[in-house]
Amino acid sequence: MLHETNRRLNRQDYKTLSLAALGGALEFYDFIIFVFFAAVIGELFFPPDIPDWLRQVQTFAIFAAGYLARPLGGIIMAHFGDSRGRKKMFSLSILLMALPTLAMGLLPTYATLGITAPVLLLLMRVLQGAAIGGEVPGAWVFVAEHVPEKRIGFACGTLTAGLTAGILLGSVVATLLTTSLSAQQQADFGWRIPFLLGGVFGFIALYLRRWLHETPVFTEMQARKALAEELPLKRIVVSHKRGVAISMLLTWLLSACIVVVILMAPALMQKQHGLPAALTLQANSLATVMLIVGCVIAGALVDRIGAAKTLISGSLLLAVSSWVFFYVAASAPHYLFVAYGAAGLFVGVVGVVPCIMVKAFPAEVRFTGISFSYNVSYAIFGGLTPIFVTLIMALTPLAPAYYVLALSLMGLLLGIYLKWDTAQRTVIRQDI
């Protein structure tokens, strides 16, 4: 057991991690590509005579609907993931994502269907949300239960980087289309291309996952007949309140980083500061590359110095870098690439989050515990963040910076608490 805990990653571990990360990247692309084309979608799917600010809020509201739908899909898939097997649900989530993404690329617009068009768009977004609700927690559990215990940090950080690569893929596709097509061509047909590609990507990811095997942890529990006898969700709510609370707060931090700094920033810079779309998307691609690097570094640091110390230092660096980025975007755009790249690197602190959540729940209910905490929190905070930030920007253009700064402070306090709690050995296991 000691050897299994401390051994290095072997070839099978790397294969599992690579396939899981690649499949996750393709599925995450499907989920987030909407935000890169929010401006043109808003113009095509809502009445042309409404105020621009209202159109922007409505478009982000449909984007948010995907987050609001995550808990139901995530909890249902997690229930069967804890009782029937991780791999089955890990593959099902891909199929449930590919189909609505493909359909979104084929939808008629408001000019053709009227109010039915945004309703159908909303429905497809809800289905996407249900799929991603099972994908992300399932992916973290899957890789964490395949690797040695002392390598969980690196595995979860690398997988999170893989999911983030889906954002990069979306940014690259958006950049290519923005630079190669005119505004009229984008409105006519260009916006459909990334969704049609997403459907194809989803089916490729589904094919790749046929080579994955059930996790050794689940197989062992099944052999010992140690699977949860009662409803996993009931056990989570009754017996693991602190784990749920910590996981939900960490998810709030993760949502603030990803949604505001990475996903919303290009559209905000275009609307608020008049920066060219091509420039903001190029800078976003750089920031996302740095985020991928940051996630891997954060995960590796967890294995070396612990999650608490990594979270404390990462939160401090995130606070400084995100503030500088939003200030530069508003007043000194010639430094945009440097500032955005630094912010992206330190957003990589989110690589710590799954490591803590995986160890916060016992294996019998781990999928359900993470899925419930992550998806409910993301539905509330990730889903409402775009609307909230958009509205408070009427008060100050630096509203996104203040929001991320506040969440960075929360991350710092959580890191301090986890450090103290680890010393007390009461809530989360000592090696966090």
Side-chain angles (χ1 to χ4, degrees):
M1 180 63 68
L2 182 63
H3 172 71
E4 182 66 17
T5 298
N6 294 295
R7 70 169 173 82
R8 292 181 178 274
L9 297 179
N10 58 32
R11 183 177 179 179
Q12 184 61 42
D13 293 328
Y14 282 115
K15 178 182 177 182
T16 298
L17 188 54
S18 299
L19 289 176
L22 180 58
L26 296 179
E27 185 168 358
F28 214 70
Y29 164 91
D30 287 0
F31 186 68
I32 61 88
I33 192 62
F34 181 99
V35 78
F36 291 107
F37 294 88
V40 65
I41 288 174
E43 293 174 359
L44 293 172
F45 279 83
F46 293 101
D49 55 348
I50 63 174
D52 187 62
W53 69 268
L54 180 58
R55 182 182 293 109
Q56 187 175 357
V57 169
Q58 288 178 329
T59 305
F60 277 130
I62 288 184
F63 174 70
Y67 290 100
L68 297 176
R70 291 171 76 149
L72 180 60
I75 291 170
I76 291 175
M77 280 190 270
H79 170 80
F80 289 104
D82 278 330
S83 59
R84 305 289 182 178
R86 318 302 201 200
K87 183 188 173 183
K88 292 178 181 178
M89 295 303 104
F90 200 35
S91 298
L92 177 62
S93 65
I94 288 281
L95 182 62
L96 293 180
M97 176 64 76
L99 293 175
T101 304
L102 191 63
M104 289 172 78
L106 300 172
L107 283 179
T109 62
Y110 185 88
T112 303
L113 287 185
I115 193 64
T116 306
V119 171
L120 290 175
L121 183 65
L122 175 63
L123 176 60
M124 295 302 103
R125 186 65 186 164
V126 167
L127 293 175
Q128 282 188 323
I132 205 72
E135 165 65 20
V136 177
W140 286 332
V141 171
F142 194 83
V143 298
E145 291 185 353
H146 267 288
V147 302
E149 191 171 354
K150 293 296 185 181
R151 302 291 182 267
I152 288 178
F154 175 78
C156 287
T158 301
L159 179 62
T160 305
L163 297 174
T164 304
I167 302 177
L168 176 62
L169 182 59
S171 180
V172 169
V173 169
T175 301
L176 290 174
L177 290 174
T178 301
T179 54
S180 60
L181 299 178
S182 67
Q184 186 60 47
Q185 288 174 322
Q186 289 187 57
D188 289 341
F189 65 88
W191 70 272
R192 297 182 183 277
I193 295 174
F195 292 100
L196 298 176
L197 281 175
V200 174
F201 289 157
F203 288 110
I204 292 174
L206 179 63
Y207 176 78
L208 289 175
R209 289 195 173 168
R210 68 191 292 246
W211 304 108
L212 295 174
H213 303 288
E214 184 57 82
T215 73
V217 172
F218 184 85
T219 302
E220 182 184 355
M221 289 192 300
Q222 201 171 34
R224 292 189 292 108
K225 301 186 184 301
L227 302 178
E229 296 181 358
E230 59 182 342
L231 191 67
L233 181 59
K234 177 183 177 182
R235 181 172 168 185
I236 288 297
V237 173
V238 172
S239 304
H240 298 281
K241 295 184 179 67
R242 287 193 178 185
V244 168
I246 291 170
S247 298
M248 291 183 75
L249 290 174
L250 285 170
T251 300
W252 188 6
L253 171 64
L254 183 150
S255 71
C257 293
I258 299 296
V259 174
V260 178
V261 180
I262 302 298
L263 298 184
M264 287 185 67
L268 292 175
M269 287 187 288
Q270 294 168 36
K271 291 286 186 181
Q272 298 296 322
H273 310 308
L275 298 181
L279 176 67
T280 61
L281 289 173
Q282 289 166 6
N284 180 265
S285 296
L286 172 62
T288 309
V289 170
M290 298 305 293
L291 169 56
I292 293 171
V293 174
C295 286
V296 176
I297 292 174
L301 285 174
V302 169
D303 293 334
R304 188 171 294 270
I305 66 174
K309 291 180 180 178
T310 306
L311 182 59
I312 290 171
S313 57
S315 296
L316 288 171
L317 292 168
L318 171 65
V320 174
S321 62
S322 61
W323 179 268
V324 170
F325 160 59
F326 283 109
Y327 178 81
V328 164
S331 59
H334 46 286
Y335 293 117
L336 179 63
F337 282 82
V338 175
Y340 207 175
L345 178 65
F346 296 121
V347 166
V349 69
V350 302
V352 179
V353 172
C355 312
I356 298 174
M357 291 199 292
V358 162
K359 295 183 179 183
F361 302 100
E364 307 88 68
V365 292
R366 179 173 290 146
F367 198 161
T368 299
I370 295 176
S371 185
F372 174 77
S373 307
Y374 175 82
N375 284 308
V376 170
S377 182
Y378 224 130
I380 297 171
F381 301 118
L384 297 180
T385 289
I387 301 172
F388 176 72
V389 170
T390 301
L391 292 175
I392 62 174
M393 284 188 74
L395 302 176
T396 170
L398 287 176
Y402 284 115
Y403 185 76
V404 177
L405 187 64
L407 271 294
S408 299
L409 176 60
M410 186 189 72
L412 174 64
L413 295 176
L414 277 173
I416 294 172
Y417 169 76
L418 288 173
K419 187 172 175 59
W420 171 84
D421 189 59
T422 299
Q424 298 297 312
R425 304 181 185 184
T426 56
V427 181
I428 300 179
R429 293 160 59 180
Q430 186 178 9
D431 58 356
I432 287 182

